[in-house]
Amino acid sequence: MVRRFGPSLALLLAALGAWQGVASLAAVDDLTLASPLEAAGALRADWTLLMENAWITLVETLLGLAIAVVGGALAAVAMHLVRPLRDAAYPLLVASQAIPLVVLAPLFVLAFDYGIGPKLAIVALICFFPITVNLLDGLRSVEPELIKLMRSLGASRLMTLRKVELPASLPSLFSGLRVAASVSVIGAVFGEWAGAEAGLGRLVLLGNNQLQTPRVYAGVVLLTVMALALFAAVSLAERAAVPWKRHGGAT
Amino acid sequence: MTTKLEALRSEPPSLAREGVAFEGVGRHYSSRRGDTAALEDLDLRIGNDEVVSVVGPSGCGKSTLLELAAGLQEPDSGAVRVAGSGAPAGRLERTAYMPQRDGLLPWRSALDNAALALECGGVGRAQARRRARPLFARLGLERFERALPGELSGGMRQRVAFARTLLAGREVLLLDEPFASLDSITRAGLQEWLAAILAEEPRTVLLVTHDVEEALYLGDRVVVLSARPGRVVAEIAVELRRPRPRRDVVTDPAFSALRQRALEALAW
Ligand SMILES: Nc1ncnc2c1ncn2[C@@H]1O[C@H](COP(=O)(O)OP(=O)(O)OP(=O)(O)O)[C@@H](O)[C@H]1O
Ligand SMILES: [Mg+2]
């Protein structure tokens, strides 16, 4: 752990040090650039406020992610089982990535009002693509020999899906989930920027307008921690769900 | 599963009942880079409880031959029958196919991989395990029940794959280079192991291999295929007593003569 992340940590500390140095220069206004120490101070001073808002953002992120996982898994399996559906939907799915989803946020607010709805919609929409496409690729890349084996053993299509294709595509699903976890927080923030009563994204936007620069930085730090924690949780879940990968080499 | 305990089987296998039959079989694959004829006008008959080894140069259509028998592919011309049935479903039902690589699922334990054959036939997981266990013990695998495939040696993996093939409970076994990935010592051990199992419990077996010695040691008959498109260029009856301790057999002058014939046919 130390050996792996040690150099990165050193680099991060050096960057923070440089930042502290620049921010401490007399010529730099505190409102333009807060120093890391000031950000840490804000983190301590505004802890309760930050946590209340972080909780709201976390709930939006997790619910949106959950919707994307369920929807994405269903879509991937349906496209895998029904070839014409895949042929029709796959190009559209890829093309849909050209739509700048986050700028649609205000439209969702118009459609769903100020509640949690638009945030969930944005998070779910951004996370849907990596989950669906990775799972679908995983389902398609199962070795043909295994499919032949299952046919020869007399397995039904659904049995092959359940016993071979789904377990075999778990590693791909988790790659998709890792991408989804890292972008999901961004989705929640954009959702809040389009209109919200609470949440870290809103707090950061508000702090920016009110020139509370240290608080903005504290909020950004928390959002980053949240995304990293989600990423780590997905990685842990993967280790639990795909234990055979650790033995290496097998198929 | 019936266990016939005839250790010595001196009589030639009965050709009365047909095991597997290929009649004028042709099979070609068309891909973007053109047409590949894998098999052409191939005739081959395998009697009931007969073990036939198929040798041939790489890419001559050996795997194609097995998949045709297994009902996983259809011939473009001619007919393939297994125990009298030419329909794909009939062939699927009557054969157990062991793919060229072991085809073990890395997330299932050794026992569960073998039991998969029963689960696919609609048996529940617990029941399938219970029924797989005795065979596992008989194949010398009892200590490895819980091991994942990634923790097993190559030889063990092949044994587990073979256990799965037997548990499918089919009349005809189709084995695609079952020992190809193993070192020569492990391979020799597994050949004796398979010979002992087949002596104890005769089956109709179509065994594909690269290895002429393996073909002669395990087969009642060795079929030599030509380079692509595969056609039968020689059939060599192996009249050696069973069971055959491998060391005695491979040093037998009669065996050397057969090997010579097979190698000549291959070079043809
Ligand atoms: N799905 C396919 N599409 C196109 N060509 C194929 C396909 N499957 C096999 N072939 C070709 O048909 C020929 C016979 O293939 P097959 O796998 O039956 O040979 P093989 O004797 O089993 O080879 P090996 O000894 O390498 O296992 C080969 O030349 C191969 O390239
Ligand atoms: Mg082959």
Side-chain angles (χ1 to χ4, degrees):
Chain A
M1 196 74 172
V2 172
R3 198 169 330 148
R4 172 141 181 239
F5 294 114
S8 309
L9 202 62
L11 190 60
L12 182 65
L13 286 176
L16 283 174
W19 174 14
Q20 181 73 35
V22 171
S24 313
L25 294 175
V28 178
D29 191 337
D30 271 2
L31 296 182
T32 342
L33 185 70
S35 74
L37 286 178
E38 284 165 333
L43 205 52
R44 201 161 346 101
D46 299 336
W47 184 250
T48 328
L49 176 74
L50 285 165
M51 278 301 121
E52 276 168 13
N53 286 280
W55 173 248
I56 288 164
T57 306
L58 183 65
V59 168
E60 292 163 357
T61 307
L62 289 179
L63 283 179
L65 204 51
I67 294 171
V69 169
V70 173
L74 288 176
V77 168
M79 284 164 77
H80 180 63
L81 291 179
V82 187
R83 182 70 196 271
L85 181 64
R86 187 181 82 208
D87 291 343
Y90 197 85
L92 295 180
L93 197 60
V94 174
S96 76
Q97 285 313 97
I99 304 172
L101 284 176
V102 287
V103 305
L104 290 186
L107 296 179
F108 287 126
V109 174
L110 279 181
F112 291 108
D113 212 344
Y114 273 72
I116 198 171
K119 289 89 182 173
L120 298 190
I122 291 287
V123 174
L125 275 178
I126 321 188
C127 296
F128 180 79
F129 182 79
I131 292 171
T132 310
V133 167
N134 277 282
L135 180 54
L136 188 59
D137 286 349
L139 289 169
R140 289 180 66 182
S141 57
V142 174
E143 283 179 62
E145 234 170 39
L146 287 181
I147 307 298
K148 283 180 191 164
L149 175 70
M150 290 301 280
R151 257 183 67 199
S152 168
L153 289 174
S156 65
R157 186 74 194 82
L158 281 182
M159 209 183 268
T160 303
L161 179 73
R162 197 157 51 85
K163 291 189 191 293
V164 176
E165 292 174 309
L166 281 177
S169 53
L170 276 181
S172 305
L173 173 64
F174 274 104
S175 327
L177 275 178
R178 268 199 298 270
V179 175
S182 14
V183 295
S184 59
V185 177
I186 302 175
V189 167
F190 271 90
E192 290 175 8
W193 282 7
E197 267 126 35
L200 263 190
R202 175 179 169 277
L203 200 68
V204 164
L205 190 66
L206 221 59
N208 212 21
N209 295 342
Q210 298 169 354
L211 297 178
Q212 293 162 320
T213 318
R215 182 187 286 175
V216 173
Y217 285 20
V220 170
V221 167
L222 283 182
L223 286 169
T224 309
V225 168
M226 201 183 282
L228 285 177
L230 277 176
F231 189 90
V234 170
S235 301
L236 279 180
E238 176 170 17
R239 299 192 72 175
V242 193
W244 65 90
K245 277 280 156 185
R246 260 177 286 164
H247 297 291
T251 314
Chain B
M1 189 173 305
T2 55
T3 310
K4 302 178 204 159
L5 278 170
E6 336 164 298
L8 242 165
R9 219 183 67 205
S10 45
E11 271 179 359
S14 118
L15 286 161
R17 276 194 297 150
E18 176 187 76
V20 183
F22 295 86
E23 282 172 1
V25 167
R27 175 82 178 109
H28 43 87
Y29 297 103
S30 26
S31 66
R32 230 166 289 156
R33 274 177 293 119
D35 236 36
T36 315
L39 297 172
E40 209 170 84
D41 200 23
L42 182 129
D43 286 298
L44 179 60
R45 257 161 227 285
I46 297 155
N48 213 40
D49 286 353
E50 190 186 17
V51 179
V52 169
S53 311
V54 176
V55 289
S58 190
C60 73
K62 302 184 295 294
S63 295
T64 305
L65 187 77
L66 283 195
E67 288 184 13
L68 284 166
L72 294 166
Q73 289 193 27
E74 287 310 294
D76 297 310
S77 53
V80 183
R81 286 190 310 272
V82 174
S85 170
R91 283 181 278 142
L92 276 168
E93 271 168 21
R94 290 167 169 78
T95 56
Y97 163 74
M98 179 165 162
Q100 194 156 351
R101 270 162 293 163
D102 52 45
L104 297 183
L105 303 176
W107 53 88
R108 280 185 168 238
S109 70
L111 184 67
D112 284 347
N113 260 293
L116 181 69
L118 297 167
E119 287 178 44
C120 287
V123 180
R125 172 81 67 107
Q127 173 82 17
R129 272 187 194 153
R130 204 162 334 118
R131 280 171 50 186
R133 239 178 226 126
L135 178 74
F136 235 62
R138 234 184 62 221
L139 301 186
L141 286 166
E142 62 274 68
R143 286 190 303 121
F144 300 93
E145 281 186 5
R146 286 155 178 271
L148 291 177
E151 301 164 332
L152 295 174
S153 69
M156 279 299 160
R157 294 170 60 106
Q158 294 309 118
R159 289 184 197 221
V160 174
F162 187 72
R164 180 190 60 209
T165 314
L166 277 185
L167 279 169
R170 311 287 169 79
E171 303 154 47
V172 177
L173 305 185
L174 305 168
L175 313 179
D176 199 349
E177 307 199 24
F179 309 131
S181 59
L182 306 175
D183 63 88
S184 58
I185 296 172
T186 312
R187 184 193 298 204
L190 279 195
Q191 287 168 3
E192 286 200 310
W193 175 84
L194 180 59
I197 292 166
L198 290 175
E200 198 177 306
E201 205 174 301
R203 298 280 186 123
T204 308
V205 179
L206 187 51
L207 169 89
V208 162
T209 173
H210 266 125
D211 180 345
V212 170
E213 254 177 38
E214 177 171 296
L216 288 166
Y217 176 61
L218 289 170
D220 298 313
R221 194 150 50 100
V222 175
V223 171
V224 181
L225 294 188
S226 65
R228 198 180 64 217
R231 227 177 314 207
V232 177
V233 290
E235 292 196 34
I236 301 169
V238 187
E239 275 138 14
L240 299 167
R241 279 170 57 88
R242 289 173 180 281
R244 331 164 173 169
R246 195 172 180 282
R247 220 168 15 144
D248 298 355
V249 170
V250 295
T251 52
D252 187 331
F255 188 84
S256 306
L258 290 175
R259 179 170 49 202
Q260 194 58 33
R261 270 181 65 196
L263 288 173
E264 270 161 23
L266 267 175
W268 190 71

